[in-house]
């Protein structure tokens, strides 16, 4: 099923990112100020087209805790990327899955280029959505996570605390997680105040599997948290065909992934 995606990126401190800087970080060959549509290859070999923009009308997107009268539940970002898929890698390729994988790969490259970046992307076809901000400092950090799915886990005795422990084991010493009530993290949708939290609240109201976990200490460096989250997504992807994940660091919602599929078409 063909689809489009919108990807937003902003640097939280310092000068706003330019389309040339974003293009360089993504390895795009052409000058975006001279070529309207960029052409690039995704991680699975599929071909994509990208239109990059800094026009004010393109830049509004979701952010946590930054709602205002001027930008209700949203804020302006530095750069917008309109992503389309031109060709899947195989004859029977799933264009939506390929587009989702490309956006996840692009987000990882962008966050690798600029610490403390804020990004958001969404797919038109299936409602996939991602919001991410990487904390710059981690000192005795408390990490809390919430997991939800419309279906029960396919893996017997699955728990997000166990999945988080396994994901954290690559970092030494890894923290230990324990289960906690899932409802304590979910705000009321009508009073959330920003688009990211409102999305989380609305998705959390669906029937199905819901669970949460937390740890009171993270002794690793800040740059270890993105790797931990990616491993956690993989762990959850082994138990669910589709799921939502929210991650708080020291009480700040830093990542919200909606309709995640890992290793599945």
């Amino acid at each position: 099923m063909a689809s489009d995606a919108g990807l937003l990126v902003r640097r939280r401190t310092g000068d706003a990112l330019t389309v040339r800087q974003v293009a360089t970080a993504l390895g795009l060959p052409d000058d975006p100020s001279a070529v309207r549509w960029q052409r690039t290859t995704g991680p699975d070999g599929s071909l994509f087209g990208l239109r990059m923009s800094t026009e004010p009308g393109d830049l509004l997107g979701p952010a946590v805790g930054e709602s205002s009268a001027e930008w209700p539940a949203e804020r302006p970002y530095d750069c917008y990327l309109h992503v389309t898929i031109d060709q899947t890698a195989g004859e029977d390729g799933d264009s939506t899955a390929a587009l989702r994988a490309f956006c996840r790969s692009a987000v990882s490259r962008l966050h690798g280029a600029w610490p403390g970046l804020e990004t958001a992307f969404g797919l038109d076809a299936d409602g996939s959505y991602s919001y991410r901000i990487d904390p710059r400092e981690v000192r005795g950090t408390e990490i809390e996570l919430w997991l939800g799915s419309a279906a029960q886990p396919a893996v017997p005795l699955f728990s997000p605390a166990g999945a988080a422990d396994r994901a954290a084991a690559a970092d030494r010493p890894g923290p230990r997680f324990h289960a906690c009530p899932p409802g304590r993290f979910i705000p009321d949708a009508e009073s959330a105040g920003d688009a990211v939290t409102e999305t989380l609240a609305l998705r959390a109201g669906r029937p199905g599997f819901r669970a949460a976990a937390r740890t009171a200490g993270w002794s690793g460096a800040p740059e270890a948290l993105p790797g931990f989250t990616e491993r956690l997504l993989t762990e959850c992807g082994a138990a669910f065909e589709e799921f939502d994940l929210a991650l708080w660091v020291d009480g700040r919602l830093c990542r919200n992934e909606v309709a995640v599929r890992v290793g599945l078409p």
Side-chain angles (χ1 to χ4, degrees), residues 101-178:
F102 174 81
C103 288
R104 287 177 59 84
S105 174
V107 163
S108 293
R109 294 184 70 169
L110 291 168
H111 280 267
W114 294 286
L117 203 68
E118 188 169 20
T119 59
F121 77 79
L123 269 65
D124 296 337
D126 67 350
S128 294
Y129 164 86
S130 171
Y131 169 82
R132 174 176 167 181
I133 183 170
D134 292 333
R136 302 177 72 97
E137 295 183 1
V138 174
R139 293 191 180 97
T141 296
E142 180 180 73
I143 300 175
E144 301 166 314
L145 63 96
W146 177 90
L147 177 69
S149 175
Q152 296 298 310
V155 176
L157 303 179
F158 173 85
S159 76
D165 282 343
R166 292 189 295 273
D171 299 308
R172 302 294 183 189
R176 296 289 296 178
F177 286 79
H178 62 271

